[in-house]
Amino acid sequence: MGGVAALACLTVAAQTAWPSKPVKIIVPFAPGGTTDILARAMAPELSTAFGQPFVVENRAGAGGNIGADAVAKAPADGYTLLMGTVGTHSINKALYSKMPFDSQKDFAPITLVAGVPNVMVMNTEKAAALGIQNVADFISYAKAHPGKLSMASSGNGTSIHLAGELFKSRTGTFMTHIPYRGSGPALLDLMGGNVDVMFDNLPSSLPLIKSGKLKAFAVTSAQRSAILPDLPTIEEAGKLKGFEASSWFGLLAPAGTPPDIVSRIQQDVAKSLGTPAMKEKLLGQGAIPGGNTPAQFTDFINAEHKKWAQVVKASGAKVD
């Protein structure tokens, strides 16, 4: 056997042997948010499919940049993956003056896991005390009390942050932005009355909305959510034509990861997302299952970057 042929066989064998040890899925936000929820939904499916543990690890901070950077700089061997978001891969590049990685060059996109609308929520008791029952009430109160209201987010540059910034610019209102290290801690402070409003990803807020702890005013997507069909869109409720600020979440690997490994993960994720049980689970949380190919996901990310760069510019938001 010639040297080239032997090397090719060794390469195929190495790729076929993957995974021979546990695989990490880095979540670049704190536990409890939608990024974390989706990663923990996928991990057992991948563990079963590949016969090795897929372990979720939270590395929060800097609007997702800390965790994403760790994956960008990890060995491209298939053992470190990222649950990326619209923030880490479409918004932050336009929002931050300095980025530790290139979201379009330093990763190998695997597949879109899910898309979700954001939802405008307040602490139910606080909303009642302030006489705010809908989006119109909120706008009126915010205009009458400029700077009095605070807006929580899961971090600078997240879709939760930008949805709020877009709302502020479109309504001519001002709220103080309070960034957290994920939706989980932000929601705790929202329920505790320490912050006033949040444009959270629907899956993480949904249980609190259903329990009555949070008052939902509207979804930020172009269409109503199937899980909350009676809840209007912000476009409808606030008479804000064209308002749309949805979120998405997907798996990525470091650039240079063998295409065979990327393809195998994508195929299993797509298979899992296509099962009735997983579809029901995600749709029940207000998420829309994905599963597209690496090439399709790459094109999607590029298109989303262009879209959100315009939103960031229009909102005037910037993080140094």
Side-chain angles (χ1 to χ4, degrees):
M1 182 181 292
V4 174
L7 181 61
C9 287
L10 286 171
T11 301
V12 171
Q15 290 180 5
T16 304
W18 177 93
S20 60
K21 62 181 181 179
V23 177
K24 285 192 297 187
I25 301 177
I26 302 294
V27 170
F29 299 99
T34 299
T35 319
D36 188 65
I37 291 170
L38 291 174
R40 293 181 190 280
M42 291 309 310
E45 301 287 325
L46 292 166
S47 298
T48 300
F50 293 110
Q52 287 286 348
F54 277 66
V55 182
V56 175
E57 180 179 315
N58 298 86
R59 293 198 194 180
N65 284 348
I66 290 176
D69 186 47
V71 177
K73 293 177 171 57
D77 55 10
Y79 290 99
T80 306
L81 308 177
L82 174 72
M83 183 61 81
T85 71
V86 62
T88 60
H89 280 75
S90 296
I91 296 174
N92 287 4
K93 192 172 182 178
L95 185 72
Y96 283 78
S97 57
K98 293 182 180 178
M99 286 285 287
F101 58 87
D102 188 312
S103 59
Q104 293 167 289
K105 294 180 180 179
D106 293 343
F107 295 86
I110 299 173
T111 190
L112 179 73
V113 173
V116 304
N118 291 2
V119 60
M120 183 181 182
V121 287
M122 280 188 75
N123 175 298
T124 301
E125 293 181 358
K126 177 170 273 192
L130 296 178
I132 301 174
Q133 293 301 310
N134 51 47
V135 174
D137 288 346
F138 186 93
I139 294 171
S140 296
Y141 185 91
K143 285 185 174 179
H145 304 85
K148 183 176 180 180
L149 296 175
S150 56
M151 177 185 80
S153 84
S154 52
N156 286 314
T158 60
S159 72
I160 295 171
H161 171 205
L162 262 292
E165 293 292 346
L166 185 60
F167 182 85
K168 286 161 61 176
S169 68
R170 290 292 305 274
T171 59
T173 57
F174 175 76
M175 296 168 276
T176 302
H177 174 223
I178 310 294
Y180 289 79
R181 293 169 69 87
S183 281
L187 286 169
L188 285 175
D189 263 9
L190 187 68
M191 288 187 293
N194 298 319
V195 284
D196 299 310
V197 68
M198 188 171 172
F199 294 79
D200 191 33
N201 300 144
L202 181 55
S204 44
S205 276
L206 188 60
L208 302 171
I209 294 169
K210 289 185 172 180
S211 70
K213 293 179 181 177
L214 291 181
K215 169 77 173 176
F217 296 141
V219 289
T220 65
S221 48
Q223 290 85 33
R224 294 191 181 199
S225 169
I227 198 70
L228 295 173
D230 294 332
L231 195 65
T233 64
I234 284 184
E235 178 176 12
E236 294 171 327
K239 295 181 174 58
L240 300 173
K241 186 174 176 59
F243 191 102
E244 195 272 330
S246 297
S247 300
W248 57 260
F249 307 83
L251 282 171
L252 304 100
T257 298
D260 173 66
I261 293 175
V262 170
S263 178
R264 288 172 62 192
I265 297 172
Q266 183 274 327
Q267 289 173 19
D268 188 76
V269 171
K271 181 179 177 182
S272 175
L273 292 173
T275 62
M278 186 60 81
K279 276 185 177 179
E280 183 179 353
K281 183 175 185 177
L282 293 185
L283 291 171
Q285 294 175 336
I288 301 169
N292 56 4
T293 67
Q296 290 169 334
F297 190 29
T298 298
D299 290 342
F300 175 78
I301 289 172
N302 292 338
E304 282 285 285
H305 175 255
K306 291 179 182 177
K307 167 191 163 182
W308 283 100
Q310 294 172 349
V311 173
V312 170
K313 185 177 180 180
S315 73
K318 205 71 183 171
V319 179
D320 293 323

